[in-house]
Amino acid sequence: MAGFVQIIEYRTSKPDEIAALMEEFRAKREADADGAAPVRGLTCADRDDPGRYFAIVEFNSYEEAMANSQRPDTTEMSERMMELCDGPGTFYNLDLLDRMDYS
């Protein structure tokens, strides 16, 4: 199985603003329909540590993820997101080895 996942761990007191930013980014990227883009994205809140969040973004490949990272709109969105965070984010870059879908 090929694929790549990036996890962004961050803290924020403005989760609704980050959610709106992410939705704006997704809608614009879908409307433009050009270049590398994520396959799917998840946003998760840590139940045991309020204010701690994870953005989990899946790509078809590492190369597509890196091409996505180089896009000006991705850079702008990332900078805007970090302005809404309470400190720097932590990035994890993971090769996707397997995915199991349950019904």
Side-chain angles (χ1 to χ4, degrees):
M1 164 164 288
F4 182 78
V5 174
Q6 187 170 66
I7 299 175
I8 306 151
E9 176 184 0
Y10 60 96
R11 293 192 158 280
T12 187
S13 54
K14 302 173 183 176
D16 293 338
E17 291 178 50
I18 289 181
L21 173 66
M22 298 301 252
E23 176 55 28
E24 174 187 322
F25 177 74
R26 184 202 58 76
K28 184 175 183 328
R29 182 61 67 84
E30 281 186 356
D32 291 347
D34 66 336
V39 172
R40 79 180 39 85
L42 302 168
T43 302
C44 304
D46 189 334
R47 283 182 163 260
D48 300 320
D49 189 354
R52 181 178 179 209
Y53 297 87
F54 295 86
I56 304 167
V57 187
E58 183 180 343
F59 295 88
N60 285 322
S61 69
Y62 171 80
E63 292 76 20
E64 285 189 20
M66 294 305 102
N68 178 72
S69 293
Q70 298 300 313
R71 291 175 56 112
D73 60 339
T74 301
T75 300
E76 178 187 348
M77 184 276 301
S78 180
E79 289 171 353
R80 289 176 59 196
M81 180 181 171
M82 289 301 116
E83 289 173 3
L84 297 170
C85 289
D86 303 334
T90 302
F91 290 77
Y92 303 93
N93 295 307
L94 309 168
D95 291 321
L96 178 60
L97 301 178
D98 192 17
R99 176 178 49 231
M100 288 182 242
D101 296 318
Y102 294 85
S103 16

